[in-house]
Amino acid sequence: MPETEIRLGVVGTGYVGLTTGACFAHMGHRVVCGDIDQRKVDLLNDGHIPIVEDGLEQIVNDARGVGRLEFVLGSQAAATDADIVFLCVPTPQGDDGSADLSYIQQAAREIAPILKPGAVVVNKSTVPVGSTVAVERELQRDDVFVVSNPEFLREGTAVRDFLQPDRVVIGSADRGAAEKVAELYDSIDTPIIITDPASAETIKYAANGFLAMKISFVNAVAAMCEAVGADVAAVVDGIGSDTRIGGQFLKPGPGWGGSCFPKDSRALVKIAEEHGYNFSMMKGVIDVNTEQRGRMIDKVAKAVGRHHSNLSGVTVGAMGLTFKAGTDDLRESPAMAIIADLRRAGARVRAFDPTTCGELSPHQESTLDGIELTKELIDVADGADVICVFTEWPEFAKVDLDQVAARAGAGTTVVDMRNLFDPFAVKSAGLGYDGVGRN
């Protein structure tokens, strides 16, 4: 427990807000999380976690059990008597790539009247450069400080990423306010980088942009491997063993997605554009990602001997729907984007994902409308003309390939967009195989 209890308020209980509040409570701080959705607040206070995130349910309920974490309705209720208030609200993207700051501005206006003197307001949401000043403008409080403390959480490993981070970045024009936020992380052994707000905000976008670039790079290399007859697995081993490069994020697949990379990469281009710089490299990263999805569609069409624009009557068995394993997030999922194109071309899609077996949320229902969902993985093979591995759920690799072949029919091709299966094992079962960067 910290020597002096610091009271924290968290506005928003999405992926970032809920993880932030729960982890700080786990670290010994008193945390009140506020949300505008009464149903969500009630569920959380009853111990029900609305998202799939490894370890989150346990630390939420442990912290609630000892009275260090509670959930309330509204931003003002969360910010009342708080020493530090974290803004963890959505910053959706406009058509031009710019971030919509209306939610964070609204939250700042709401909490401004009830903040106690000396309080620190922290931008935890991913926000464009200059947002610290924008929040200060909305607060109109000379006795309150605004700090940037960007999150670097990966869905599926968010709790571990928060409690065992590579670094903590804090940006503030006031050193005392920055150090006050830094004290919250005293129990964590990690570098604390204190800088100015603009640099902190840029670090977040630049980090995600670089990771997106690594994925686009390896996908482009995979395409080259297919062209020249090389094995992308061997190539990745070769380049990833170089300590200057490293093997992380060098896994070929159907393209990057999720709530961060697509939004942040486009925002990075937009921010640069607004300040007079043509970030052509980042534009290329985005283009390669779009092209990669097109290459995956071409693989499906090739597997059934059709043109990608005419898949009428073709049944596609889809393994996985989320943008990656370990999460139930369908936002900007490569699987969903590719499936949408396949369905527009006339294909019927039968899919299984571990996160869609139970009762669907309204968002899931609308997103998955028109896709036939199965209760068991093996069921996607029934009568399938082609089977696609969209998401790298580990349990998929354990499926009985002989059963898959028996249910699908001899000659059905597995388009392995995650290189999850052993090509030899798939072919030995009597199925065709087409991976990414493999020959």
Side-chain angles (χ1 to χ4, degrees):
M1 284 284 291
E3 293 182 6
T4 303
E5 182 180 71
I6 301 176
R7 295 175 62 85
L8 306 182
V10 175
V11 179
T13 60
Y15 280 92
V16 174
L18 186 55
T19 303
T20 297
C23 287
F24 274 135
H26 175 77
M27 293 158 62
H29 304 295
R30 175 77 171 84
V31 183
V32 179
C33 296
D35 201 279
I36 60 173
D37 185 340
Q38 180 69 67
R39 179 176 176 273
K40 191 175 185 182
V41 170
D42 292 340
L43 284 171
L44 289 167
N45 278 321
D46 287 337
H48 300 297
I49 308 302
I51 58 176
V52 173
E53 191 61 55
D54 186 42
L56 185 57
E57 182 174 0
Q58 181 177 342
I59 68 167
V60 166
N61 289 326
D62 286 351
R64 287 179 59 253
V66 296
R68 285 202 299 264
L69 178 65
E70 67 175 298
F71 300 95
V72 297
L73 182 66
S75 57
Q76 287 193 344
T80 300
D81 294 327
D83 300 295
I84 302 175
V85 180
F86 288 85
L87 301 182
C88 304
V89 297
T91 52
Q93 190 173 71
D95 293 337
D96 63 351
S98 61
D100 179 359
L101 294 180
S102 60
Y103 293 101
I104 204 165
Q105 290 169 325
Q106 177 66 24
R109 288 193 295 269
E110 288 175 358
I111 66 174
I114 54 88
L115 289 171
K116 64 183 186 181
V120 177
V121 176
V122 182
N123 279 349
K124 198 70 173 173
S125 304
T126 300
V127 292
V129 178
S131 296
T132 299
V133 175
V135 170
E136 289 174 346
R137 189 180 305 120
E138 297 297 335
L139 290 173
Q140 296 186 356
R141 290 280 300 267
D142 293 336
D143 58 345
V144 170
F145 305 96
V146 181
V147 171
S148 173
N149 177 214
E151 53 85 14
F152 299 95
L153 308 178
R154 297 167 296 172
E155 291 183 36
T157 60
V159 172
R160 187 177 68 205
D161 292 342
F162 194 101
L163 298 176
Q164 302 173 35
D166 293 327
R167 77 294 199 195
V168 171
V169 176
I170 300 169
S172 177
D174 184 273
R175 182 76 185 191
E179 290 177 349
K180 190 173 182 179
V181 175
E183 288 175 7
L184 298 178
Y185 298 93
D186 277 350
S187 63
I188 295 176
D189 182 18
T190 193
I192 304 288
I193 300 171
I194 295 180
T195 184
D196 61 276
S199 295
E201 291 160 349
T202 303
I203 287 169
K204 167 64 177 181
Y205 282 110
N208 277 352
F210 185 82
L211 296 175
M213 180 182 68
K214 287 189 75 173
I215 299 172
S216 282
F217 176 79
V218 77
N219 281 336
V221 168
M224 187 177 72
C225 285
E226 292 179 7
V228 303
D231 181 353
V232 73
V235 173
V236 166
D237 283 345
I239 63 176
S241 61
D242 188 324
T243 55
R244 297 170 299 173
I245 298 173
Q248 285 192 311
F249 288 84
L250 287 181
K251 293 182 179 179
W256 38 263
S259 61
C260 293
F261 287 0
K263 178 170 68 74
D264 293 355
S265 59
R266 291 191 287 263
L268 195 55
V269 171
K270 181 64 176 178
I271 292 167
E273 181 182 283
E274 289 174 345
H275 291 81
Y277 176 65
N278 178 18
F279 206 153
S280 57
M281 177 184 287
M282 202 67 228
K283 291 177 182 177
V285 168
I286 296 169
D287 289 343
V288 168
N289 195 56
T290 302
E291 292 166 3
Q292 185 69 0
R293 295 180 182 181
R295 281 193 285 270
M296 298 303 102
I297 293 169
D298 287 340
K299 285 179 177 291
V300 175
K302 178 183 176 183
V304 294
R306 298 281 196 89
H307 187 272
H308 63 77
S309 65
N310 179 21
L311 298 176
S312 179
V314 172
T315 297
V316 177
M319 293 186 174
L321 294 167
T322 56
F323 83 95
K324 70 172 186 176
T327 178
D328 59 346
D329 200 348
L330 298 170
R331 289 176 294 179
E332 296 276 359
S333 168
M336 297 305 300
I338 293 169
I339 286 172
D341 282 341
L342 295 177
R343 293 186 63 234
R344 276 192 288 269
R348 172 193 179 194
V349 178
R350 183 186 298 115
F352 172 85
D353 191 279
T355 68
T356 61
C357 296
E359 182 179 354
L360 299 180
S361 68
H363 172 71
Q364 286 176 317
E365 285 184 347
S366 60
T367 303
L368 299 172
D369 184 44
I371 299 173
E372 181 184 335
L373 300 178
T374 69
K375 296 296 185 183
E376 301 290 340
L377 175 62
I378 192 66
D379 293 339
V380 304
D382 283 340
D385 299 296
V386 59
I387 297 171
C388 298
V389 182
F390 285 113
T391 313
E392 72 284 17
W393 290 97
E395 54 264 47
F396 289 1
K398 300 174 184 177
V399 69
D400 187 323
L401 293 171
D402 290 327
Q403 285 191 33
V404 171
R407 301 276 285 267
T412 296
T413 295
V414 174
V415 177
D416 189 357
M417 301 182 192
R418 298 287 184 170
N419 290 350
L420 195 64
F421 292 119
D422 176 357
F424 179 77
V426 174
K427 293 173 182 177
S428 295
L431 297 162
Y433 182 85
D434 188 4
V436 183
R438 290 170 159 178
N439 287 276

